[in-house]
Amino acid sequence: MQRPPHEDFSLKETKPHLGGGKVTGDKLTSTYDLVEQMQYLYVRVVKARELPSKDVTGSCNPYTEVRLGNYKGITRHFEKKTNPEWNQVFAFSKDRIQASLLEVTVKDKDVMKDDFIGRVFFDLNEVPKRVPPDSPLAPQWYRLEERKGEKLKGELMLAVWWGTQADEAFPEAWHSDAATVSWSDGLANIRSKVYLSPKLWYLRVNVIEAQDLIPSDKTRFPEVFVKAILGNQALRTRISMNKSGNPLWNEDLMFVAAEPFEEPLILSVEDRVAPNKDEVLGRCAIPLQ
């Protein structure tokens, strides 16, 4: 067996063509699309001003409730403050949204029953989309409304947009991840999550040679290549110039692998029997662990 020299495995600078191509169905991937994008509705509650007092003592203990269908997120509350600053972000997965309106309500925390101060509605069909590296959406002031739609005293500064997990607001956001949330225990079903970017590695596959291949048609010289698949990435060697049962390539294929290396590397040796027809002579799966 011909093996590459030992120094071939020493550290070297490389700018490889990374695996990316049509593997199954119509899903086409590239180096920049190794992770499937998920859509989220982001709500950044910045601050409020000139909130009216609902308490008999004349004080205001405000907090904001963000509600989308059966999902509800709540900011922290402030004691005796009519100009609170929260600067909290909420993220709602688009796959789970079954509502057409977003309701953001400011309330006054009380011992017996929290008082309604005012609210703002958003039609989800009118919410803008943002994809990094687009500039972050600038928050705006919105006049609070009462339940009948009439304007009230007090304003709320908000930013609402559609984005993905690539948004810089994603790691700091509170994520709604409950299938069903009742009106009373919404906060118990909202938890803060820490999403760490996966650790990425280059996976270098040196395809050297094959031995003792047996093609189905022994009357022709085989035209053999190796296809390597890792998740949605696919690369292949050239067809070996050695048209026999012992083809030689000695080619490098380079992939991007993300920990915890759950998907195996699939290698298949294939024979080009016709212009658009390849016959698999054998395959193997190599666990990346």
Side-chain angles (χ1 to χ4, degrees), residues 27 33-40 95 164-166 232:
K27 184 169 179 62
D33 190 27
L34 298 176
V35 179
E36 182 179 359
Q37 289 194 352
M38 299 174 63
Q39 298 293 318
Y40 287 87
D95 292 340
T164 70
Q165 73 270 43
N232 288 327

Side-chain angles (χ1 to χ4, degrees), residues 50-254:
E50 299 179 0
L51 296 179
S53 174
K54 295 290 183 178
D55 198 293
V56 293
T57 63
S59 63
C60 181
N61 309 315
Y63 69 91
T64 300
E65 178 183 283
V66 180
R67 179 176 292 175
L68 188 60
N70 288 334
Y71 295 103
K72 181 172 66 174
I74 299 176
T75 68
R76 61 189 178 276
H77 85 279
F78 289 95
E79 295 288 338
K80 300 179 181 180
K81 201 166 188 179
T82 56
N83 297 288
E85 292 191 19
W86 296 285
N87 200 27
Q88 288 183 243
V89 184
F90 299 87
F92 300 88
S93 174
K94 186 176 183 179
D95 292 340
R96 294 179 175 177
I97 294 176
Q98 296 181 339
S100 59
L101 288 177
L102 168 70
E103 180 182 358
V104 184
T105 306
V106 180
K107 294 184 177 182
D108 182 8
K109 192 172 184 63
D110 202 351
V111 177
M112 298 298 293
K113 183 182 178 182
D114 297 347
D115 295 316
F116 172 88
I117 295 179
R119 63 183 176 185
V120 180
F121 278 111
F122 292 88
D123 186 336
L124 297 191
N125 294 320
E126 298 177 359
V127 173
K129 291 182 174 62
R130 176 186 177 268
V131 180
D134 295 351
S135 299
L137 194 67
Q140 299 180 39
W141 286 106
Y142 295 90
R143 173 75 66 176
L144 294 177
E145 300 177 358
E146 65 174 16
R147 289 187 172 91
K148 294 181 181 180
E150 295 182 8
K151 301 294 183 181
L152 295 172
K153 181 183 177 183
E155 291 180 293
L156 185 62
M157 179 179 277
L158 295 169
V160 182
W161 71 95
W162 290 107
T164 70
Q165 73 270 43
D167 201 293
E168 61 267 20
F170 187 85
E172 64 174 300
W174 284 58
H175 295 261
S176 176
D177 61 349
T180 56
V181 180
S182 68
W183 299 117
S184 60
D185 65 351
L187 183 58
N189 290 281
I190 308 289
R191 71 167 184 260
S192 180
K193 297 181 180 179
V194 177
Y195 286 83
L196 299 178
S197 300
K199 192 172 184 179
L200 300 179
W201 295 81
Y202 280 132
L203 174 68
R204 179 182 171 200
V205 183
N206 183 226
V207 183
I208 303 174
E209 65 177 334
Q211 290 184 338
D212 303 325
L213 299 180
I214 304 178
S216 59
D217 184 0
K218 298 181 177 57
T219 63
R220 52 178 288 278
F221 293 109
E223 299 184 13
V224 185
F225 63 91
V226 175
K227 181 192 293 182
I229 296 176
L230 180 64
N232 288 327
Q233 305 169 76
L235 286 174
R236 49 181 287 172
T237 68
R238 67 185 186 280
I239 293 177
S240 174
M241 300 300 293
N242 184 14
K243 300 183 184 300
S244 70
N246 301 293
L248 177 68
W249 299 279
N250 199 20
E251 279 190 54
D252 275 348
L253 305 179
M254 196 77 77

Side-chain angles (χ1 to χ4, degrees), residues 3-11 204:
R3 297 183 182 277
H6 177 71
E7 61 269 15
D8 189 50
F9 291 95
S10 61
L11 188 64
R204 179 182 171 200

